[in-house]
Amino acid sequence: MGDLEAWGEAGKRYEIHEETLSCFTKLDELGTKPFEDGSLTPEEVRAQFLRVSEVIGGLPDFEGSERQFIVPSQSGNEEGVPVSVYKPKDLSSVPAIWIYFHGGGLVICSRNTHSTMLKILARRARCIVVNVDYRLAPEHKAPAAFDDCRDVSRWVLRNKVLLGGHADSSVGVGGDSCGGHLAASITHDVTDLTFQILVYPLTDLTLSSKSAKEFEDTPGFNNAKMKWFMGHFLANEGQKTDPVVSPYHRPSFTGLPPALCILAQLDPLRDDGLAYSKKLKDAGVPTDVLVVKGAPHMFYQMPAHFQQLNKEAFKKTVDFIQQFQQE
């Protein structure tokens, strides 16, 4: 997958960054296997991606504290929702608190696969980050993950000082891929949130956009993989247009918090993010959009490898968060 020919027509239409090509070369060298054909179980895919994140994601340079909490559930999750809270040593006087929902199609990934990226951003933004381990499918179908993330968001709003923040701290949500999908949905229901950062979010489960067709069978994340994920996390086909699970279909976007939407040019979810951002803008929500050229889906959570492609994306993230805190 690390050669240009594997990208087919997309490789002729777009300039694919060298970090993108070399990432897929590394994935080949690690022996990663395709799973969209059903040849791997969800547990096997989880183990495979954890290994990828350990090798390609890198280790953070982080000075600060890390605390673990179990958030009580209001939605029938008897075990509660585990979260990790990262508080950098150099913290703003009134820091923002950023609740992050990891990607992975609501089936794979965890706090561990995304901890490096989040510790880097906590340090650079001088904010507090809450890293959430919501319930995964197929063990827990939608809307279980949405319920967990809603519960965590409300708990954080009630416990700012406990987490090391200030009573006046702003609270925002964010996530990548299906984590962005979760964050976008939560903002419609939790009205006290101050900001949202959506990283190549899945917002329309019908997969009807131009980019979904354009990158239907390209390397890495593609339509076949997205259908594999949805086959595991959807409880029924009707959820594809259910506004709770597919936030693009929400009837109103008025009054939502300011948004930053970061998209990858070489991603089937690119046009979903653009369409969702337009709905926010049309509703009067301040919305900033960055499309990173030559980048694939997953570049954001692999900072050790995608150092050039992440430079602008991470700066945008840090600058955006710092608007909502007092230095």
Side-chain angles (χ1 to χ4, degrees), residues 200-225:
Y200 32 78
L202 171 66
T203 56
D204 182 4
L205 273 65
T206 65
L207 302 181
S208 55
S209 71
K210 178 183 174 182
S211 61
K213 296 177 175 63
E214 189 175 20
F215 300 101
E216 187 171 11
D217 56 2
T218 48
F221 187 74
N222 51 39
N223 261 19
K225 285 188 173 67

Side-chain angles (χ1 to χ4, degrees), residues 16-218:
I16 299 179
H17 198 278
E18 60 181 16
E19 287 181 343
T20 299
L21 294 174
S22 60
C23 177
F24 288 108
T25 297
K26 285 186 178 180
L27 292 175
D28 287 340
E29 292 171 349
L30 285 172
T32 56
K33 300 176 181 178
F35 56 86
E36 58 270 30
D37 60 358
S39 58
L40 299 180
T41 65
E43 292 83 359
E44 289 170 331
V45 181
R46 290 168 190 163
Q48 177 170 274
F49 200 81
L50 177 59
R51 182 165 176 255
V52 168
S53 68
E54 291 171 344
V55 174
I56 300 180
L59 296 173
D61 177 16
F62 182 72
E63 288 188 31
S65 65
E66 177 177 346
R67 298 174 67 189
Q68 314 296 322
F69 294 89
I70 301 294
V71 176
S73 171
Q74 304 299 315
S75 311
N77 181 356
E78 295 180 359
E79 296 181 357
V81 188
V83 302
S84 297
V85 179
Y86 310 135
K87 180 181 176 182
K89 184 176 180 180
D90 181 18
L91 189 68
S92 293
S93 60
V94 182
I97 302 175
W98 188 27
I99 309 167
Y100 199 87
F101 312 127
H102 65 77
L106 305 186
V107 178
I108 65 172
C109 297
S110 65
R111 288 177 291 169
N112 292 333
T113 57
H114 286 61
S115 61
T116 289
M117 171 199 75
L118 293 176
K119 287 177 179 177
I120 290 171
L121 289 169
R123 175 175 57 81
R124 293 184 185 178
R126 302 174 64 227
C127 71
I128 295 169
V129 174
V130 180
N131 186 3
V132 183
D133 253 342
Y134 54 83
R135 286 174 291 175
L136 297 177
E139 296 89 342
H140 305 282
K141 301 276 191 179
F146 298 85
D147 292 340
D148 285 354
C149 293
R150 191 178 298 109
D151 286 344
V152 169
S153 298
R154 289 172 174 156
W155 179 82
V156 170
L157 284 162
R158 294 193 302 267
N159 291 280
K160 299 175 188 177
V161 176
L162 171 68
L163 300 179
H166 189 280
D168 294 329
S169 288
S170 296
V171 177
V173 291
D176 58 284
S177 190
C178 274
H181 171 201
L182 290 163
S185 181
I186 297 311
T187 59
H188 291 265
D189 302 324
V190 184
T191 57
D192 293 331
L193 294 168
T194 309
F195 63 91
Q196 54 182 315
I197 302 175
L198 311 177
V199 182
Y200 32 78
L202 171 66
T203 56
D204 182 4
L205 273 65
T206 65
L207 302 181
S208 55
S209 71
K210 178 183 174 182
S211 61
K213 296 177 175 63
E214 189 175 20
F215 300 101
E216 187 171 11
D217 56 2
T218 48

Side-chain angles (χ1 to χ4, degrees), residues 205-251:
L205 273 65
T206 65
L207 302 181
S208 55
S209 71
K210 178 183 174 182
S211 61
K213 296 177 175 63
E214 189 175 20
F215 300 101
E216 187 171 11
D217 56 2
T218 48
F221 187 74
N222 51 39
N223 261 19
K225 285 188 173 67
M226 190 63 246
K227 290 175 181 177
W228 182 88
F229 286 123
M230 288 196 298
H232 285 294
F233 76 71
L234 289 178
N236 57 70
E237 286 294 304
Q239 287 182 320
K240 288 183 178 179
T241 55
D242 180 345
V244 172
V245 180
S246 203
Y248 178 82
H249 297 278
R250 294 273 187 166

